[in-house]
Short mmCIF file of all heavy atoms in Angstrom, two decimals:
data_model
loop_
_atom_site.label_atom_id
_atom_site.label_comp_id
_atom_site.label_asym_id
_atom_site.label_seq_id
_atom_site.Cartn_x
_atom_site.Cartn_y
_atom_site.Cartn_z
N MET A 3 3.82 1.52 -1.21
CA MET A 3 4.41 1.66 -2.52
C MET A 3 3.44 2.29 -3.51
O MET A 3 3.78 3.16 -4.30
CB MET A 3 4.81 0.26 -3.04
CG MET A 3 5.60 0.32 -4.35
SD MET A 3 7.23 0.99 -4.15
CE MET A 3 8.09 -0.46 -3.66
N LEU A 40 21.66 -1.44 -4.17
CA LEU A 40 21.78 -0.45 -5.22
C LEU A 40 21.17 0.86 -4.81
O LEU A 40 20.09 0.88 -4.21
CB LEU A 40 21.11 -0.90 -6.50
CG LEU A 40 21.82 -1.96 -7.35
CD1 LEU A 40 20.95 -2.37 -8.54
CD2 LEU A 40 23.16 -1.46 -7.85
N SER A 62 18.54 26.80 -27.01
CA SER A 62 19.62 26.20 -27.82
C SER A 62 19.37 24.74 -28.10
O SER A 62 18.85 23.99 -27.26
CB SER A 62 20.96 26.36 -27.08
OG SER A 62 21.97 25.67 -27.77
N ASN A 71 22.38 13.46 -33.15
CA ASN A 71 23.49 14.36 -33.33
C ASN A 71 24.00 14.96 -32.02
O ASN A 71 24.71 15.97 -31.99
CB ASN A 71 23.09 15.51 -34.28
CG ASN A 71 21.92 16.32 -33.77
OD1 ASN A 71 21.05 15.81 -33.03
ND2 ASN A 71 21.87 17.59 -34.13
N SER A 122 26.39 0.88 -6.80
CA SER A 122 26.38 -0.20 -5.75
C SER A 122 26.69 0.42 -4.40
O SER A 122 27.59 1.30 -4.29
CB SER A 122 27.44 -1.25 -6.06
OG SER A 122 27.09 -1.94 -7.23
N ASN A 145 13.49 25.72 -6.72
CA ASN A 145 13.26 24.71 -5.70
C ASN A 145 13.53 23.34 -6.28
O ASN A 145 13.20 23.06 -7.44
CB ASN A 145 11.82 24.78 -5.19
CG ASN A 145 11.60 25.97 -4.26
OD1 ASN A 145 12.20 26.07 -3.23
ND2 ASN A 145 10.76 26.88 -4.72
N ALA A 166 20.40 24.03 0.93
CA ALA A 166 20.87 23.18 -0.21
C ALA A 166 21.22 21.78 0.21
O ALA A 166 21.32 20.91 -0.65
CB ALA A 166 22.09 23.86 -0.86
#
Side-chain angles (χ1 to χ4, degrees):
M3 187 70 85
L40 283 177
S62 174
N71 61 330
S122 294
N145 286 296

